[in-house]
């Protein structure tokens, strides 16, 4: 916003209504250039964010799955039912069956989709490490004798 009448209240009102910045006349060209650059960069980030979200939707929505069998329809239904809950989910199956794709789809369609997704390959961990990673561990100190 550019104005000839500068006041703190006017600036606050302008920002509340969506102004990115507030300048008073006469305008300092260097300051205006910096503000415009900042606004342009913000718009680019917004566009990139939309594009990345669309790519995630394409990859981890149901379009990444192949199959139209009753079994696949049941998997889609299960993902849709599980995703909005806070339930813990164990996904198991043969190598190459799409377990991680299912995990991504659950995460992507959940309320937690703005948080990081971490895939854990359980078969690569020993039983003790797996138990510790999944359930945590607490060091127990035994009393001295």
């Amino acid at each position: 916003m550019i104005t000839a009448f500068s006041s703190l209240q006017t600036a606050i009102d302008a920002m509340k209504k969506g102004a990115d910045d507030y300048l008073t006349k006469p305008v300092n060209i260097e300051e205006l250039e910096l503000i415009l650059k900042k606004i342009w960069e913000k718009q680019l980030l917004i566009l990139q964010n939309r594009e990345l979200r669309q790519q995630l939707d394409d990859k981890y929505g149901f379009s990444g799955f192949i199959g139209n069998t009753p079994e696949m329809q049941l998997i889609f239904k299960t993902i849709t039912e599980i995703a909005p809950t806070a339930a813990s989910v164990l996904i198991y199956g043969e190598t190459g069956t799409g377990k991680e794709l299912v995990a991504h789809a659950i995460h992507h369609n959940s309320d937690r989709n703005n948080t990081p997704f971490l895939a854990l390959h359980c078969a690569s961990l020993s039983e003790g490490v797996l138990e510790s990673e999944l359930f945590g561990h607490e060091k127990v100190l035994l009393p001295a004798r």
Side-chain angles (χ1 to χ4, degrees), residues 25-143:
K25 292 180 183 176
V27 175
N28 178 324
I29 297 300
E30 291 174 357
E31 186 178 3
L32 178 60
E33 285 175 349
L34 284 172
I35 290 169
L36 291 175
K37 182 179 177 189
K38 181 178 76 169
I39 292 169
W40 177 249
E41 288 171 353
K42 179 181 172 185
Q43 290 303 311
L44 284 176
L45 286 174
I46 290 169
L47 291 173
Q48 289 172 341
N49 185 282
R50 281 187 195 142
E51 185 177 321
L52 289 171
R53 285 187 180 278
Q54 184 60 50
Q55 288 175 9
L56 285 173
D57 284 343
D58 292 346
K59 186 170 184 178
Y60 298 120
F62 295 112
S63 62
F65 289 87
I66 299 172
N68 197 17
T69 64
E71 292 83 4
M72 287 304 294
Q73 295 303 314
L74 180 60
I75 290 172
F76 300 151
K77 181 177 184 258
T78 303
I79 290 170
T80 304
E81 291 173 352
I82 290 172
T85 73
S88 296
V89 179
L90 175 64
I91 303 167
Y92 62 93
E94 299 293 322
T95 301
T97 56
K99 296 178 295 292
E100 191 168 337
L101 184 62
V102 168
H104 272 287
I106 292 169
H107 181 264
H108 182 71
N109 291 287
S110 76
D111 294 337
R112 299 172 302 280
N113 63 6
N114 290 326
T115 63
F117 174 83
L118 175 65
L120 178 64
H121 185 251
C122 298
S124 67
L125 303 173
S126 68
E127 184 179 330
V129 172
L130 176 62
E131 191 173 308
S132 175
E133 287 295 319
L134 292 178
F135 307 110
H137 67 279
E138 186 174 317
K139 190 172 186 176
V140 178
L141 297 175
L142 298 174

